[in-house]
Every structure is written in C-alpha cells, then in structure tokens.
Amino acid sequence: MCGIAGLISLNRIRENGSRIKKAIVLQNERGNGLGAGYGVYGIYPGYENLYAIHIMASSEEAINQAAVFIRRWFKVQKQEPIPVWEKAIRDHPYFQRFFVETPESPALCSGGQNEDGYVLEKMMLMNKEVSGANAFSSGKDMGVFKGVGTPRDIYDFFMLDHYEGYSWLAHNRFPTNTPGWWGGAHPFNALDWSIVHNGEISSYGINRRYLEAQGYFCHLQTDSEVIAYLFDLLVRRHGLGILEAAAALAPPYWATVERLEDSERQEQLRLLRIIYEPAMLNGPFAVLAAFSGGMFSLTDNTKLRPMTMASQDDYTYFASELSALYEMREDLQQIVTPRAGEPVVALYHEPAASGEGVTA
Amino acid sequence: MERLSTVLDAKGVDYRQLNDMVRACLAQGERHIVLRHVRGQRYLGAGLTAGDLLLEVEGVPGEDLAFCMGGPTIIVHGHGQNAIANTMDSGTVAVHGMGGDALAYGMRGGRLFIRDSVGYRVGIHMKEYRELKPGVVVGGTAGDFLGEYMAGGTMVILNRYNEQESVCGQADKTLATGIHAGEIYIFNYDVPGFLPGIGARLLPPDKADTERVRSLVEEYCHYFGFDPTPLLTREMVKIIPAGSRPFHKFYCSAYPVHAGLS
Amino acid sequence: MNLRPEQPGWRSLYRPAFDRSLCTGCGACARQCTFNEIRLESRQEKKIPHASGKACGACHRCEVLCPRGAICIEERPLVLRPHAVWNQAAVTRVHLQAATGAVPLTGFGAGANIPTYWDRLLFNACQVTNPAIDPQREPMETTTYLGRKPESLKEAKGLKISQLLKLNLPLVFAPMSYGSINLRLQKALAITAREKGILWYSGEGGFHEELSEYSDWAVLQVASGRFGINPAYLTKARAYQIKIGQGAKPGIGGHLPGEKVLEGISRTRMIPLGSDAISPAPQHDIYSIEDLRLLIYAVKEASGYKPVCVKIAAVHNVAAIATGIVHAGADMVYLDGYRAGTGAAPAIVRDNVGIPLELALAAVDQRLREEGIRHKASLVAGGGISNSADVMKAVALGADAVAVGTALLVSCGCHGCQRCQTGKCPWGLTTNDPVISKRLEVDWAVERLSNLVEGWRHEMKEIMGLNGIYDIGAFRGNRLLLRGVGLSSKELEILGVRHAGE
C-alpha cells in the first residue's frame, strides 16, 4: 500500500516542501486519498535543542488534557496551535505543538532512562491515558505533518510551503488492513526517527508483542508503526549501527549467510538473526527512514515493493517510482534501484550542532 | 508518401486522458505518435492492436507500459518502470534506459528490449503459443526470480558490461525456478551452482541456439545503435527446463484408501 | 510418487457390493468405472463383476447406471480403537504420506467439522401484523444490478445503466475453468446463464470460441497464469474478474498438469499441447493494494472500462482487504468462503485455511457500510452454498448476488467423491478425457441446471413472500429477517444477527 518520496541535502541546505510535494503528487495513483503525510527535519531553528511534540486531538477538551499531561512531565518553553489552512480539509482534528525540555532529573520521575527514553515513555503514556489525543511527532528540530487526504490536501492543509527543512519524507497512503484515519497516516515517528512504509508487515503480530514486552505501546492500528519503534529499540536502546539494524530487520537468507567468505561477518549476521528473530520484518516492504543523522531506504529480501534513488551534488533522492525522482530534479544523471534487502544510507556530511553521533 | 507524425504533449496530463488522446489519434488514422514530456503516466499502449503503429515516448512512462498489447511498436526514450510488456501478445517495446521489476510477466509474444539493467522477477511465466514466441533482451543484468515458472519464449541477459557478480540474481535457487518451457541465455557469466531453482538446467548452447540468440541480439542492437559483433563473440550459457514436469513428484492423490505398506 | 495399489494392505474405504440375484452380467458397471475398481470375470459363459476393493471412491456411477439396480456402494471403514485424534482420517493420511513423501491433493470443498452458520440461522415469517405474500399469485421481483453505483442522484450524471450488470436472480455460476471442467459442462453453464438471465464466470482457463455467443453473460477471469488473455479476450466479455484467491486454497496457486492440456485447452489457454499450465500463487504484478489498483485499471483501460470484479478468499482480515479493493476501483468484490470447491487443492490447505463465508460476508458488508462505500461495489458471495435457503441467508447478510459452483456439479451427477484432480471424473464433469467427458450431454446438463435454478427460484420467492417482502432489494442486507440459534454472542455480533427469542 502506498507511494514514497524523500530528499535530503547532505549539506543541510534548507528548502520548503515544493519539490517533495511534486514527487509525491506524481504518485497519486499509488494512494487513495485516505492518507498522506510529510516528515521534515531542520524546521525549528531556534528550538533545535527542544523536543517538538506534535499532538492531534479529537476535541479542544482533549487538547487541554494533553497540555495538562505535558506540563506535568515536561518544562514547556512554548505551546501553540499548528497552523492549518482549513479550506484544504474541512473535517479535521485539532492540532497543537509543544516545545519542551525534560525536567532536571528525569531519572527521578521513572524508569531511570536517559532523556530520549524519558520522552518516548511519556509520549506512549499520554497516548494511552489521554483519551482522544495522540502525540504523533516528538523529535528535536523536526516535525511530522499527516492526516486523511491526498498528498496535495495535506500539504496545503499544513501549509508546508512555509516550512524549510533539509530533509523531507513524503507518503501517499492506500490503507489495506486498517481504516484510513489521521493517526494511521505516515510517517510514523518515535523521537527523531520517522519512517514511511510501502507494503504490509506479515510479521506484525510478533513484532508488536516483542515491542510491547519492551515497553512500547502500539496503538495506531497499523503494521507500519512497529518499524519506527524497532529502529528506536535497535539503534537507540541496543546501540546497533544503521546497517546492523537493517540486517536485523531484513536479514539475508541463511543460505546467503552460509556462503559468505568473511567468517566474522557471517557470525555477526547469524547472531543478529538469532537474537532479533522477533524483530525481523516479513512480508513486502519498502521503507524510507529519516533520523537526525540522515536518511536511508530498506526493502524486503525479495524486493516485493519498489524503491529507486539517485544521488547528485550532495543531495540524495528516493521514490517508489522512478519518474517521481525527476520531479525533484530534472537533470538526474544516474538512477539506482537498490537490491533486495540492501539499505541505501545517506548521511549528513556534518552532524547537526546538537546532533548525537549515529554510526552507519 | 512519407507519413507525418503526431506529437502530443503529455506534461501534466492524466494517464486516462493521455491514453484517450492516443486512441483518438489512432482512430483518425495516425500511425506515428510521439508523446513528449511523459512522466509516470500508466498503461501507454495497453490493449492497442494496430500493428503498424509506432509510439515514441519521451520521458519516463509509468507502470504497465504495453499491457496486453497486440502489435504496435513502442520506443521509450528514457527509463522504464515496472511491469512493462505485462501479458503482452505481440509487438515490440524498446527502452533506452533501465527497466523495473516484474517485466514481461505472462508475456506471450513480441519483443522487449531493455538497453540497460532490469529489476527483480523479470519474465515470470513468459509463455509461447504456436507462432507467438516472445523474445526479451536485457542489455545489463537482472535481479532474483528471473524466468520463474517460465513456460516459453527466449530471454537473453546480455551483460554488456561483463559484470561478474549478480548478473542474474543473487539469492539461492531463484533463477528460472519451475521453468517448464522456454530458454534463458546469459552472456559472459559463470552462473554459480546455487542460483538455478527447481527444474532449471544449465547447458552450453548449440548452433541453432546461437543463431536464434544472434538474431534477437541483432534486433536489440538495431534499436540502440550498438555493434552486435563484440557482444556476440562472448561465451554464453543456456538455461532450459530439466523436464517438462518440474513439480510432478510434489503431489499424490488423496484417495480414500488405506495405503498399507505401499 | 511411488503409489502401488497392488501392494498388500492397500484397500479403498468403499466398495461396490453386487446383488448376484439381480445381476445379468451386462458389464455396464465395469465400463462406467473410470478407476478400474470393477473387472468382469467369465464363469460358465456368464460375466460376473468383481470389485477389487482398491480404488472405489463412492462416486456411485456404477450404482446409478446399473440397469438392474444390483449395485450398492458399501463403506469399508478401517476399524481402529476409538481415539479422538488417531481416527481413520488421521491414520490413513499418515500412511499415504509415508508411502509417497508427497502432498495429498483433493478436489471438492472442505469437509472438516467447522460450523456451518447457515444451519444456525433461521428466517422470520409474517404472522398477523404483516401479511405474507403468496409468490404464486402476487408479483415478486428478484432483479438485481451489480456494479459500482452512485451515492446520490446528483452523482449519477454520465452513468449509463447499461454499465451495470443486470441479473434476473441474485445468483451467479461460480468460476470453473475450462480445464478443471470440460467444455461441455462450461457450455451448459453458459447456455443456462443466458437462458436464466444470470452470469457465468469463466475461471482462468481462457475463453473457448464455441462459447462466444454467450459472452454477454460471461465474466472472464484474469488470473496469475494469464491464460488465453490477449487484446480480444479483454474486449468481448460483459465484465472481468481478477482472481486473487480461492476459498478452497487461499494463498496458493493452481496447476493443470501437462497431460490434461489437450487440443481444445491448449488452444483456449494459448499454451502448447501437453505443457503444464501453472498458475503461480500470487499474480506477480500484484504484491500490494496499489498494485491491484494498477491491474484493475489496466483491465479497464484495455477493455474500454467494463466492470471489474476482484475475487478473494475469505481470510482473517477480509473486511479490511475488501475495503481496500473497493478503494482500488473494483466494481464488485467476490468473496470465496472456506467451503468453496476446487478442481484440485492440497487437502491440508483446503481443510485448514480461511474462514467461513458467513462470517466473512457479514464482516465485509458491515465494514463497507461503516466506511460509506458499500454502494461503490457489489458483493458476490460463494463457497458451500447448497440450497436456496443458504442463498437467501447470504442475501440477508448483505450479498448482492450469491455464487454456486459445487451444487451445479451435483445437479449434473456429482456425488462428491472428491477426486476431481484425477481427471477421471466418472460423471464426465471434471475431466477432459475425450471419452469420459462424452458422458455429459450438454442438453441434459442444461435441463438439470435449469431445473435447479427454477426450483431455487421458487423457493427463494417463497422465502421472500413469507417474510412479506416482494422485492429482493428489501431482503438484501436485512439482517432483522434472521435469528441465530445456538450461537455465542461473539458469533452473533459478527453476523449482526440477534438470537432467536430476542
């Protein structure tokens, strides 16, 4: 289900959403108007070091409840409605965003985790406890904008012409297993991780149980949600590199592993697969993930969903359909279609001022 | 008398409208149609049966190019996407670039020429019937599941750049799995033993094979302006079915019997 | 395969028993048995039939055709110590697999002991407050239109009624390919469908030129093998069906072995004589809902925008899948339930995969209504429909039309021996053997099929009338007409039906 587009400036040059919009709108046929969304990094200069929490809620009352919740657990530096252009979509939830810091000593509050762990835990708690409200974006200097509508509607609704960021993800949804609703649109976010997904996760049942046992709360009624949490678990909490995490989620076939000549690599792949069996994704998928260090794509082992990409002049572009790449740049010299299970990683040349180091 | 061509600008035109425009031109007797600025529009040439139509596509056509087409020639000046020549019956498609996944699925006849490489699952269930024998030539390399369940026709992986890895897929037992008719030729590549799937057999080509491949490759080269000679002087290997019944030991009949100690 | 019936211990679980006092030794039984169960022995110038006890599958052909009524099929159970698990079916299956190392194939529909909800649903009837209608005397209408309908009159601009499929009865003949059945039977289905003003579905075996005069009542299939599909195929039918799955074997493909690909089948499927006709499990251009949309519109583009139906097996998440299919542009969704028939399927799949049609249909109809898209596609439901009450219960649960398949074979002689996959169907139905298939006379089959449809039509009208309803439209989706008996509250909730007494 769905179409994907992404672009990233490796030099962190900011631009508004007009290029990504063209790329996702071209793929209109891949969706059905029941979901679209964008994820954008580098959009909140001046607030880079604060967690930007985006909330959608079914009523003003729920917004207020969410605000009470957030103020209980965080130091709120700023709260404002997310600006929307109602003419694009009349029937919509309420949106609000909060720029927050964790309290001085989060370990005192619960869990004994670091700041990121604290934030994610509270977001899940809020989604569980505050009825009608849903935190759908919680990273620093980034934001997710999504909902029920076509990619053009959602773009106009959130007025994404007015935001400038250095990496953009976009998604065009065709829901299959769950109804089209605002929270179910992509990207799915957990802290600085945002993912858009094309396909269906046949392993969802066990992925979800695995995550829930580790404290994640899967409430969005959609299989794609687990991918964002799995990256958070594997990379942030377990300290895997991007390529290791990719090999855990889309491991090579045993037969391929057995043929490897590099026995160290072989042993590592065996271990990853044995340990992370319940995290392994089965079923058709093409995933595009963005995080504070860059962006990467991953497809399933048999390449059941499409992904194409191109790199030129310190930009990397991704799209489900090759033609959409040209919507982002007309004079692309070389198009690449990644192989099955092969991640394509594009990292920023320099870490962000506040960025944590993430290794590929 | 030289025929004039009709040029249609596809920029920003919805696929349905674009295909209607093509059909309308056809109905007016146009036989050379050029589509400019094509970007992702689907179904170009789908179901068209005018054998003397030449459709030139400038840009990147969308999925299902030449779906169930019977006769026309389509030349794409640009890359192709997925599912080109899906269930195609006859005619020719030549793509000046690369092709995506699932090309030539269930293709029964005609020619598909892709100048560069193609993706996964190309030529699944390609088949033939009487005078209809499909021919596919891929200039570069192909991904896994090439020629799965192949039931006829000829596929050539030309490997123009003489790659020595992943020329026809890389996953175990995914090459020509379940092939029960037809043939695949792969140039200048030592196909690893783990690649061929159930029912596929590797053989050196014989003289008749070489001739058949030569004519297909020459046709391919004609479209892209290559010299066929250096390409054809390289070694090639043939993949054909080991037998006509790849799965015949797989099933038995569930008779209401007590089989004893049979 | 290593099947050696001549080995000691091999025996069938059925056997024809002969009444020697009636038998004249005419030998009809031996000629009729296509499995060589019966041989004739000469004794004192008289021919005497003998059963080998190795191959009888209870098809009843010899019994029905014996001019003297001298044959009775007997059961020969494998007597085992009673055990809840290791019963006859379990023990014989393991023995068979131990002998062959293969996957046992079977035909027909699932026979496992899974609840048949039709039998737990009962109709209402008018008493006092509302008059019943006598269908013999009063008008009773069953006209049904299938296809994508506008939500309101405002939206109807440009719609031609002729784009919809008109049926005289909410009944269609389920897809059975030429190959799984023979051309005679398919022709009889086509003739009957035309005569009765309903639809017949081709299955994926292509479209034989002999049937072209019935194309206006035909829904031709586009399945994974793409057999016989060329530009002409995509323009001649009334509608097209994209087959994703089959209730008898959800998630797996089909395989017509080469020896069955004879001249007519070869020509119709457009594959060489004697070549295997393999239908891969998925359609390899569909791995996702947006790919399905791609194929739906490919078929529409190539066919001049004829209605497209998508057939899926009833599986766990069927409601959501059906929703996706409607959003993908399908004009009809065909639900094939757990008990649907097949020409050949692994027994283990047939009996263990999928969910009952009743639950799937109720869930799909409900979900499409909740999403406000019920009008966008018609629902056709099939799989294990064995009488007209099942049909009407399906309509009351929400089906626009109901598909029958196995019942049609039964009407033409089938006794359910479940050996369709062997190609030796003694009734000449699921065989293309040039000699055996001659057993089926087209005219006779048309008469039987027509009779069945007529009988059901009368009963269906009776059921409508006794509920005080004269138009099928008022019956469709009218779940208040049903009550459940002996069902759990969860089952009732899914069926959207109250318990009897409520």
Side-chain angles (χ1 to χ4, degrees):
Chain A
M1 45 179 191
C2 328
I4 286 174
L7 72 85
I8 175 169
S9 157
L10 305 182
N11 292 326
R12 297 186 193 265
I13 297 168
R14 290 187 168 84
E15 64 182 81
N16 78 1
S18 55
R19 286 208 287 170
I20 196 78
K21 172 184 160 189
K22 276 168 66 187
I24 197 69
V25 167
L26 187 84
Q27 303 179 84
N28 250 343
E29 285 294 315
R30 304 185 70 86
N32 67 352
L34 288 182
Y38 300 82
V40 48
Y41 288 71
I43 47 167
Y44 293 131
Y47 299 92
E48 297 96 334
N49 295 315
L50 301 176
Y51 293 95
I53 297 174
H54 290 190
I55 304 275
M56 64 171 75
S58 53
S59 64
E60 291 206 51
E61 170 58 22
I63 288 276
N64 294 337
Q65 299 261 335
V68 169
F69 180 96
I70 288 170
R71 285 174 191 284
R72 189 193 320 154
W73 299 104
F74 295 98
K75 286 201 285 188
V76 176
Q77 299 295 348
K78 183 174 180 181
Q79 174 185 352
E80 63 184 5
I82 298 177
V84 298
W85 188 52
E86 296 199 307
K87 281 193 177 156
I89 302 173
R90 289 186 192 284
D91 188 15
H92 61 81
Y94 296 83
F95 288 95
Q96 195 91 179
R97 66 186 162 210
F98 301 80
F99 295 91
V100 308
E101 285 175 287
T102 54
E104 299 299 328
S105 176
L108 290 181
C109 302
S110 85
Q113 289 181 0
N114 61 10
E115 285 196 333
D116 280 347
Y118 177 84
V119 174
L120 190 61
E121 184 192 302
K122 294 304 170 234
M123 291 301 98
M124 297 203 171
L125 188 64
M126 195 196 86
N127 290 340
K128 203 185 282 188
E129 288 189 351
V130 181
S131 131
N134 168 19
F136 62 98
S137 182
S138 57
K140 289 178 179 170
D141 199 16
M142 59 79 59
V144 165
F145 302 89
K146 65 181 188 178
V148 175
T150 64
R152 189 179 270 120
D153 294 340
I154 295 296
Y155 186 91
D156 293 343
F157 178 73
F158 286 108
M159 302 188 287
L160 297 181
D161 271 337
H162 299 293
Y163 292 86
E164 292 203 326
Y166 40 69
S167 82
W168 285 83
L169 287 179
H171 188 263
N172 185 7
R173 187 169 188 224
F174 202 139
T176 31
N177 288 331
T178 45
W181 69 293
W182 286 70
H186 300 222
F188 290 98
N189 168 275
L191 297 169
D192 72 323
W193 283 99
S194 299
I195 69 102
V196 289
H197 165 223
N198 170 208
E200 179 172 317
I201 307 294
S202 313
S203 51
Y204 171 64
I206 180 59
N207 301 143
R208 178 176 172 161
R209 292 184 66 203
Y210 176 63
L211 285 165
E212 285 180 341
Q214 320 260 356
Y216 291 86
F217 173 52
C218 301
H219 68 298
L220 295 177
Q221 309 165 36
T222 175
D223 52 0
S224 312
E225 180 186 21
V226 297
I227 303 172
Y229 298 154
L230 286 168
F231 278 121
D232 180 69
L233 176 71
L234 268 52
V235 178
R236 180 176 63 82
R237 283 172 57 182
H238 292 193
L240 269 57
I242 301 294
L243 294 176
E244 286 172 323
L249 298 188
Y253 296 110
W254 283 121
T256 309
V257 174
E258 296 312 321
R259 257 201 327 276
L260 287 177
E261 281 164 18
D262 177 349
S263 61
E264 206 173 309
R265 173 81 180 137
Q266 193 175 43
E267 202 57 16
Q268 187 206 24
L269 285 170
R270 284 184 188 136
L271 265 180
L272 278 172
R273 184 147 176 195
I274 290 165
I275 295 169
Y276 291 109
E277 183 187 83
M280 178 169 64
L281 300 172
N282 264 215
F285 63 87
V287 169
L288 188 59
F291 65 112
S292 54
M295 185 180 281
F296 69 94
S297 72
L298 181 64
T299 60
D300 65 79
N301 240 341
T302 35
K303 187 105 190 299
L304 296 172
R305 300 314 307 140
M307 181 64 78
T308 60
M309 55 87 57
S311 277
Q312 203 162 314
D313 298 340
D314 289 325
Y315 279 90
T316 300
Y317 306 94
F318 297 89
S320 299
E321 291 188 24
L322 197 154
S323 51
L325 294 174
Y326 288 102
E327 290 287 281
M328 293 184 276
R329 179 157 182 170
E330 293 276 349
D331 65 343
L332 287 174
Q333 298 302 307
Q334 201 190 357
I335 308 281
V336 174
T337 51
R339 288 189 185 144
E342 177 186 59
V344 177
V345 185
L347 298 179
Y348 299 115
H349 293 321
E350 305 283 336
S354 67
E356 309 92 87
V358 176
T359 55
Chain B
M1 194 182 89
E2 192 181 321
R3 286 186 314 204
L4 294 175
S5 57
T6 305
V7 178
L8 300 174
D9 189 350
K11 190 163 187 156
V13 179
D14 174 68
Y15 75 80
R16 204 166 156 179
Q17 196 188 343
L18 187 60
N19 283 309
D20 280 344
M21 284 156 67
V22 170
R23 281 187 287 259
C25 286
L26 257 178
Q28 286 168 13
E30 306 289 354
R31 287 301 180 265
H32 181 195
I33 301 170
V34 180
L35 304 179
R36 294 252 155 89
H37 306 120
V38 170
R39 186 157 294 169
Q41 284 96 342
R42 301 175 161 195
Y43 313 123
L44 297 176
L48 297 187
T49 52
D52 53 350
L53 169 67
L54 171 62
L55 185 65
E56 290 195 69
V57 176
E58 296 175 5
V60 180
E63 328 292 77
D64 271 336
L65 175 74
F67 172 81
C68 206
M69 185 174 86
T73 297
I74 299 183
I75 297 177
V76 177
H77 303 283
H79 296 303
Q81 295 193 164
N82 302 322
I84 302 170
N86 188 349
T87 322
M88 184 167 122
D89 207 48
S90 58
T92 301
V93 178
V95 177
H96 287 254
M98 55 199 249
D101 296 338
L103 309 187
Y105 177 40
M107 177 180 174
R108 187 188 299 112
R111 297 280 180 270
L112 173 62
F113 301 120
I114 305 287
R115 192 190 66 192
D116 304 333
S117 291
V118 296
Y120 288 65
R121 295 179 301 282
V122 169
I124 294 189
H125 220 303
M126 243 170 84
K127 47 171 77 77
E128 63 188 46
Y129 180 62
R130 293 189 179 168
E131 72 287 357
L132 297 173
K133 276 189 200 294
V136 175
V137 181
V138 171
T141 62
D144 298 341
F145 311 105
L146 182 73
E148 184 179 281
Y149 286 122
M150 193 165 163
T154 302
M155 186 143 50
V156 177
I157 304 299
L158 208 43
N159 191 15
R160 278 200 293 131
Y161 295 112
N162 301 309
E163 305 280 350
Q164 284 312 309
E165 231 179 280
S166 302
V167 171
C168 45
Q170 54 189 356
D172 288 56
K173 297 190 173 58
T174 57
L175 173 60
T177 307
I179 182 173
H180 48 293
E183 49 189 8
I184 302 175
Y185 297 91
I186 296 166
F187 273 89
N188 198 23
Y189 182 54
D190 187 11
V191 177
F194 61 82
L195 270 186
I198 298 172
R201 183 156 71 126
L202 265 68
L203 283 179
D206 60 26
K207 196 145 182 258
D209 298 335
T210 313
E211 281 315 300
R212 210 161 39 251
V213 171
R214 166 181 299 279
S215 105
L216 261 180
V217 171
E218 281 173 352
E219 211 179 327
Y220 163 91
C221 287
H222 158 77
Y223 278 98
F224 305 115
F226 298 138
D227 177 4
T229 316
L231 292 171
L232 285 165
T233 48
R234 301 168 307 155
E235 295 277 302
M236 65 173 177
V237 63
K238 170 167 76 165
I239 298 169
I240 55 165
S244 63
R245 305 287 309 279
F247 297 107
H248 90 104
K249 284 193 172 157
F250 197 77
Y251 297 113
C252 67
S253 262
Y255 284 149
V257 292
H258 177 223
L261 296 179
S262 236
Chain C
M1 269 199 288
N2 200 27
L3 273 181
R4 289 180 295 171
E6 69 280 4
Q7 287 290 305
W10 179 287
R11 68 175 180 82
S12 57
L13 302 174
Y14 306 92
R15 182 169 60 182
F18 304 98
D19 184 336
R20 305 282 178 212
S21 66
L22 294 175
C23 177
T24 59
C26 74
C29 50
R31 286 193 299 279
Q32 292 299 333
C33 182
T34 52
F35 288 87
N36 295 323
E37 166 70 16
I38 304 172
R39 68 179 195 287
L40 294 178
E41 282 179 9
S42 297
R43 200 175 296 166
Q44 294 153 3
E45 314 217 337
K46 192 183 165 192
K47 290 202 182 334
I48 296 177
H50 276 280
S52 73
K54 299 223 178 252
C56 179
C59 76
H60 292 266
R61 177 81 184 177
C62 59
E63 182 186 270
V64 173
L65 266 82
C66 174
R68 304 280 302 196
I71 302 177
C72 182
I73 301 298
E74 284 181 345
E75 207 171 354
R76 297 202 303 161
L78 180 68
V79 177
L80 298 167
R81 283 190 63 184
H83 194 283
V85 173
W86 293 105
N87 53 26
Q88 173 177 296
V91 169
T92 53
R93 185 202 298 270
V94 166
H95 278 289
L96 189 65
Q97 287 194 287
T100 60
V103 174
L105 268 189
T106 183
F108 216 56
N113 187 21
I114 301 293
T116 302
Y117 289 96
W118 303 133
D119 299 342
R120 301 295 182 88
L121 292 170
L122 295 170
F123 288 114
N124 192 23
C126 298
Q127 301 291 302
V128 184
T129 56
N130 181 1
I133 306 171
D134 178 359
Q136 310 288 350
R137 296 182 291 104
E138 295 177 69
M140 195 58 75
E141 296 189 323
T142 52
T143 302
T144 296
Y145 282 92
L146 300 183
R148 179 162 289 230
K149 298 163 190 171
E151 189 172 19
S152 67
L153 195 57
K154 261 202 314 241
E155 277 189 16
K157 277 194 199 113
L159 175 91
K160 291 194 212 86
I161 304 273
S162 61
Q163 288 167 345
L164 301 172
L165 303 166
K166 184 183 175 197
L167 308 183
N168 288 342
L169 265 182
L171 207 62
V172 299
F173 290 165
M176 290 183 274
S177 70
Y178 171 35
S180 71
I181 60 171
N182 56 50
L183 190 60
R184 289 160 170 263
L185 179 54
Q186 197 168 53
K187 189 171 182 179
L189 295 172
I191 293 172
T192 313
R194 184 174 70 170
E195 198 175 277
K196 298 296 172 194
I198 58 178
L199 297 172
W200 66 281
Y201 287 63
S202 69
E204 88 149 317
F207 188 54
H208 196 282
E209 68 267 9
E210 214 176 279
L211 304 183
S212 51
E213 59 184 296
Y214 310 103
S215 62
D216 274 352
W217 290 267
V219 180
L220 299 186
Q221 198 169 76
V222 175
S224 65
R226 302 288 160 87
F227 297 117
I229 301 178
N230 61 10
Y233 181 93
L234 285 183
T235 52
K236 57 188 152 198
R238 188 75 184 79
Y240 292 88
Q241 181 182 57
I242 295 172
K243 177 189 155 185
I244 300 295
Q246 201 176 325
K249 43 177 172 177
I252 70 169
H255 184 174
L256 190 68
E259 64 262 21
K260 294 193 191 175
V261 179
L262 305 169
E263 174 55 30
I265 291 173
S266 149
R267 201 167 59 246
T268 309
R269 295 198 177 208
M270 300 180 78
I271 52 173
L273 270 178
S275 112
D276 273 14
I278 297 177
S279 307
Q283 306 220 17
H284 281 284
D285 49 357
I286 306 180
Y287 292 130
S288 178
I289 191 76
E290 78 267 10
D291 291 351
L292 174 66
R293 177 179 175 82
L294 182 67
L295 184 61
I296 289 173
Y297 279 89
V299 171
K300 288 189 176 191
E301 276 287 329
S303 69
Y305 282 80
K306 296 216 171 134
V308 173
C309 172
V310 174
K311 177 181 175 185
I312 49 168
V315 292
H316 299 180
N317 215 3
V318 66
I321 296 166
T323 305
I325 290 171
V326 177
H327 283 306
D331 303 284
M332 287 171 271
V333 179
Y334 184 121
L335 292 175
D336 208 27
Y338 166 78
R339 278 182 297 274
T342 175
I348 206 86
V349 175
R350 188 195 72 173
D351 293 343
N352 291 285
V353 182
I355 64 171
L357 175 66
E358 301 89 321
L359 301 178
L361 169 61
V364 167
D365 175 73
Q366 182 61 24
R367 175 69 78 84
L368 295 181
R369 284 172 205 278
E370 282 165 9
E371 299 230 351
I373 53 174
R374 182 64 183 83
H375 60 282
K376 289 191 177 174
S378 296
L379 272 181
V380 180
I385 299 291
S386 67
N387 59 50
S388 63
D390 294 352
V391 175
M392 294 307 282
K393 288 169 187 172
V395 171
L397 285 182
D400 289 287
V402 179
V404 282
T406 304
L408 306 175
L409 300 183
V410 173
S411 77
C412 292
C414 168
H415 281 64
C417 76
Q418 308 181 37
R419 293 179 293 182
C420 322
Q421 81 284 358
T422 61
K424 294 183 193 170
C425 174
W427 293 93
L429 304 170
T430 61
T431 174
N432 275 280
D433 179 297
V435 177
I436 312 175
S437 56
K438 286 212 178 82
R439 293 181 179 186
L440 186 77
E441 304 246 354
V442 176
D443 292 346
W444 176 80
V446 169
E447 191 188 330
R448 302 272 298 185
L449 291 164
S450 300
N451 286 344
L452 181 74
V453 172
E454 275 318 296
W456 285 19
R457 183 204 301 275
H458 294 317
E459 290 174 336
M460 286 157 67
K461 288 182 170 181
E462 201 73 69
I463 291 169
M464 284 164 61
L466 60 85
N467 275 290
I469 282 174
Y470 73 88
D471 188 290
I472 192 76
F475 212 94
R476 186 166 291 123
N478 190 342
R479 298 188 188 177
L480 282 177
L481 300 176
L482 298 173
R483 286 290 188 276
V485 279
L487 296 175
S488 71
S489 48
K490 190 71 190 176
E491 288 164 319
L492 291 166
E493 176 194 324
I494 293 166
L495 290 166
V497 166
R498 292 190 196 162
H499 201 277
E502 281 189 307

